[in-house]
């Protein structure tokens, strides 16, 4: 059973899922924030992959994504930051973002580098692409 299923098996209600944008407010805050969220009792962490054109997101996520990108955050840097994730984080982690950065990164490479997370991508308005990558999240 993967970590997400374990959460829903263990808890039938009041599941706390917290989203934050990778690299915001500071480029190297991603793991620090994830550790703090786990310590505070979060059940599931959702890390947003910053994207330069987040048309399906509201102004708060658009702003945090732009600030993270301006500071130098990228999917490659996020993958580097998450290499030791499981040494510190035992709860489920979901990466949420648009498919475009994943395709630029390389889908196969992404799957190899992110084998312990679930990826949920927003559909592309151009092709209606929706992807979910099964994992142990």
């Amino acid at each position: 059973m993967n970590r997400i299923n374990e959460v829903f098996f263990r808890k039938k209600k009041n599941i706390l899922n917290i989203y934050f944008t990778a690299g915001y407010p500071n480029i190297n805050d991603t793991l620090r924030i994830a550790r703090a969220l786990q310590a505070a009792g979060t059940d599931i962490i959702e890390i947003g992959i910053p994207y330069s054109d987040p048309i399906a997101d509201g102004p708060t996520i658009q702003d945090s994504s732009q600030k993270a990108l301006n500071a130098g955050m990228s999917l490659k840097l996020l993958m580097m930051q998450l290499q030791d994730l499981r040494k510190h984080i035992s709860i489920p982690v979901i990466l949420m973002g648009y498919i475009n950065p994943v395709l630029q990164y390389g889908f196969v490479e992404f799957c190899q580098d992110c084998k312990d997370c679930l990826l949920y991508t927003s559909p592309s308005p151009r092709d209606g692409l929706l992807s979910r990558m099964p994992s142990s999240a």
Side-chain angles (χ1 to χ4, degrees):
M1 182 179 308
N2 69 38
R3 287 180 179 89
I4 294 172
N5 288 344
E6 287 175 6
V7 168
F8 285 97
F9 181 78
R10 193 176 71 249
K11 291 180 78 172
K12 301 301 180 202
K13 60 182 181 174
N14 300 325
I15 294 170
L16 181 59
N17 178 61
I18 301 289
Y19 172 94
F20 72 94
T21 301
Y24 179 84
N26 298 300
I27 195 165
N28 292 314
D29 282 348
T30 304
L31 280 181
R32 182 185 64 78
I33 292 170
R35 281 189 288 241
L37 289 173
Q38 178 175 269
T42 301
D43 296 302
I44 300 170
I45 297 172
E46 187 175 347
I47 302 174
I49 302 168
Y51 181 56
S52 61
D53 193 21
I55 59 171
D57 294 314
T60 301
I61 293 175
Q62 289 175 358
D63 184 58
S64 64
S65 290
Q66 193 57 57
K67 287 178 179 173
L69 291 170
N70 289 346
M73 180 49 85
S74 66
L75 185 53
K76 182 176 181 175
L77 178 57
L78 176 59
M79 291 297 105
M80 289 171 37
Q81 291 176 346
L82 296 180
Q83 283 178 346
D84 294 328
L85 175 81
R86 288 296 170 210
K87 291 180 183 177
H88 309 282
I89 305 298
S90 60
I91 62 176
V93 174
I94 300 170
L95 296 184
M96 203 300 235
Y98 293 80
I99 194 67
N100 310 55
V102 174
L103 294 176
Q104 280 185 319
Y105 187 84
F107 192 76
V108 172
E109 293 82 3
F110 182 88
C111 292
Q112 291 168 345
D113 291 348
C114 191
K115 58 184 168 267
D116 199 28
C117 295
L118 174 78
L119 168 68
Y120 182 84
T121 61
S122 298
S124 167
R126 183 176 42 100
D127 56 17
L129 190 59
L130 180 65
S131 299
R132 273 189 82 174
M133 186 178 73
S135 70
S136 58

